[in-house]
Amino acid sequence: MSTQKKKQSPIEKVAAIIVDKRKAFYLFYIIASIFCAIATGWTQVNNDLTSYLPDTTETRMGLTLMDEEFVTFGSGSIMLDNVTFDTAERVAAELEEIDGVTSVVVENDEDSYKNGAALLSVTFDGEAEDQISKDAMIAIREKPESYDAYISSEVGNSSAETIAAEMQVVVLIAVVIIIAVLLFTSHTYMEVPVMLMTFGMAALLNMGTNFIFGEISFISNSIAVVLQLALAIDYAIILCNRYTEERTTMEPREATITALSKAIPEISSSCLTTISGMVAMMFMQFKIGFDLGIVLVKAILCSIFVVFTLMPGLLMSFSPLIDKTHHRYFVPKITAIGKLASKTKFILPPIYVVFLVVSFVLSSNCNYVYGYSTLSTITRNSTQIAEEKIKDTFDTSNLVVVMVPAGDYNKEHRLLERLESLPEIDSAMGLANIEAMDGYMLTDALTPRQFAELTDMDIEIVQLAYSAYAASEENYGQIVSSVNNYAVPLIDMFGYIYDQKEAGYVTLDDDLNKDIDDLNEQLNDAKLQLSTENYSRMLLFTNIPEEGEETFAFLDDLHEIVYEYYPDGAYIVGDSTSDYDLGTSFATDNMLVSVLSFLFVLVILVFTFKSAGLPVLLLAIIQGSIWINFSFPVLSGTNIFFMSYLIVSSIQMGANIDYAIVISSRYTELKKQMPIKDAIVETLNFAFPTIISSGAILAIAGMLIGILSSDEAISSIGLCLGRGTFISIFLVMFVLPPILLLGDTIIEKTSFTLKRRDIVQHRSGYMRVNGHVRGYVSGIVDAQISGVIHGELSAQLDSENSDELKQRVDRQIINHIDPDGKHIADIDGIFGSPSSDDVDDIMEEPEGTEV
């Protein structure tokens, strides 16, 4: 008989500190919540996907160079429907008077006026992000409100605000669904507020610490909160279920400490597979994977931290209300599905193998796209509606930009002429082909007499100006020989004369002075957009789609032509080149993410189950769900955004594998105590509440994102994630059980530790035990025991001769009945019958004595 108090393990000591110091943790979280509420505004959100391209791609290098070298004035298109051309011209003139608007152009041709619809092209005084342009766009939106107007422009485009508003709706609906699911799977009503407070704090903690990354992508900013709730809900459910279980036999404090000490290793191991999927994304060349991966990893860690440090205190504090609000358990038993698994173990696995092969082939033929032009969303915002209306009415151009080293206007002119001859290019614009006046281009070289005739300036003044210009350029030979034969590009001479006029060295009459000023302003705008000291920019307006085989073939031809003229340094950028570079990196990223996520999860499963066969079976289920998921776009003939596959396959592999782990772990444990058919039935009844709660929330959250988001990338990710999670749940519940039953022999033979099936005995009453017992005797026993047990026994009996053991266990059990009706079991020498003196001694022991 032992009365010594059980010694606490280190993890139990930590759990006790967390529970006993709960008020200190409350104070910490109150301060943290205030800080995080303020800090959420510190995070910068990046709305440009191209900024996440690898630094070595031409698009990324070209865009960086273009931002550094050139000014790109804001622009936009306004379509007025059901108007006359005269009305369109009048509206254009009115809009042009708005401060911040440089010009509004509408032409009487099919490119600008068609079937009663007019297309107005607007140019602003500032860049798209400048306040002067934003203020002008606000005024523009107010002007044509009496007309049927559709406005498409990057200026004042509130896509970030639109996405944020949409995600707020998603979160609200998701919270309602979470509450409904938790009420369905919980045991008491008060569990739900405790879990909601836990979720809310974890989400706030994650959002409030995103500023440490400097900036995050709009995708991470939009979907991280919803995915955090969906991915990490398991952790709170596990702890809550543990508490409910322990509370039946313990006081609230002891129940909370015990539940937390048991939940910590269980939750920690559960999150490893999820984190591994996120980490796999971080190895992508396309840095959006790293951005989303690191934000989600932090989100999961925040959730675990809050579950471990805040939730125990909440359970303890709310324990009286939790005890008072028990309700009927609504989750039904699914025994029929377990029995069906036994009946179909020779049918479903072969059928699934066929599906696996077919889905692999189909998913391999998925039509991935890298831009938004061919994608559509269920929800559309006003900008998308306007863009679609303009695109359907007018032929819109696909703009490609070419940047070449500056300094040789003649070479630029020849290149522009060559490019304009290509059938894919409708028009090309650069300094070398912009007309200044009277048929002269801006870069044409003019002699003093030609310049004088063009500007009506006195020839002597022009000759003097040319001589001064030659001196400034240290071209003294032209002065000595004859300045009359000296030809200077028109744009350079205009700039020089303007500078001399402003410095007071040249005096012009009023009319000419005004003309020079106006022309200089136009030239400055042109140079800011098309030419710098180092580079010249050419704009190519093409008639090809944004992406596709035809477009990518044209880009290859374009590179060859440009490199003929500029072999040492030229850049081609645009939406098409961005898609081209994304497509190039996708092949590598796809292979890398798939292999890494598979290997990470495989290693974790091998160490978890200490088996080689079982992890392969589990991965076959989840990998199959991924292939089936991405077979749907092929069957429906729709395009799929490339990033959807990379992100969703990682999340499916990392998170959905948990559902298979829950079933496999329980089955591995139960099959040691009962026949495998009964074990699978009990396993499914046990796992169903966990899988249906976590899986349904993740699947529905994904679907909500897909349906309610108007951003093509976010919507595509949401739809694929929701569909993939539903498929994973179905396969785990209906296909995995018969596979486990059919593959039980493989699982046993590939186990690293289990060499044979241990025989488990179930007995109750008074028993004499003399031997090694491993199992449950009112608790877990794994020791040499010599004595009498009063209670219930469910244990494995080790013997060096397993065949002899089986024969002896199978013999008839001899039961001795004492005067009070107590059973004394004798298992032929392994369990011996107590003597009458032993029985008398045992009966004299008070109830509850530990033997």
Side-chain angles (χ1 to χ4, degrees), residues 175-190:
V175 168
V176 173
I177 292 172
I178 288 173
I179 293 173
V181 172
L182 293 180
L183 285 174
F184 177 71
T185 58
S186 66
H187 294 85
T188 72
Y189 291 114
M190 201 57 202

Side-chain angles (χ1 to χ4, degrees), residues 315-334:
L315 289 172
M316 181 71 182
S317 299
F318 287 95
S319 59
L321 292 175
I322 293 175
D323 293 341
K324 293 177 182 178
T325 56
H326 279 270
H327 61 73
R328 182 172 64 86
Y329 194 47
F330 301 112
V331 180
K333 295 287 185 180
I334 55 170

Side-chain angles (χ1 to χ4, degrees), residues 192-213:
V192 178
V194 169
M195 285 193 276
L196 288 178
M197 283 188 279
T198 304
F199 299 154
M201 179 52 68
L204 182 59
L205 194 62
N206 186 50
M207 289 189 296
T209 53
N210 281 335
F211 73 91
I212 63 177
F213 303 130

Side-chain angles (χ1 to χ4, degrees), residues 247-284:
R247 183 68 182 91
T248 58
T249 58
M250 298 181 182
E251 292 299 312
R253 178 182 179 276
E254 287 69 26
T256 307
I257 293 172
T258 304
L260 180 58
S261 62
K262 291 180 179 179
I264 287 176
E266 185 176 354
I267 292 172
S268 300
S269 61
S270 174
C271 79
L272 283 177
T273 53
T274 305
I275 289 179
S276 68
M278 305 303 107
V279 171
M281 282 196 299
M282 295 167 63
F283 286 89
M284 289 168 52

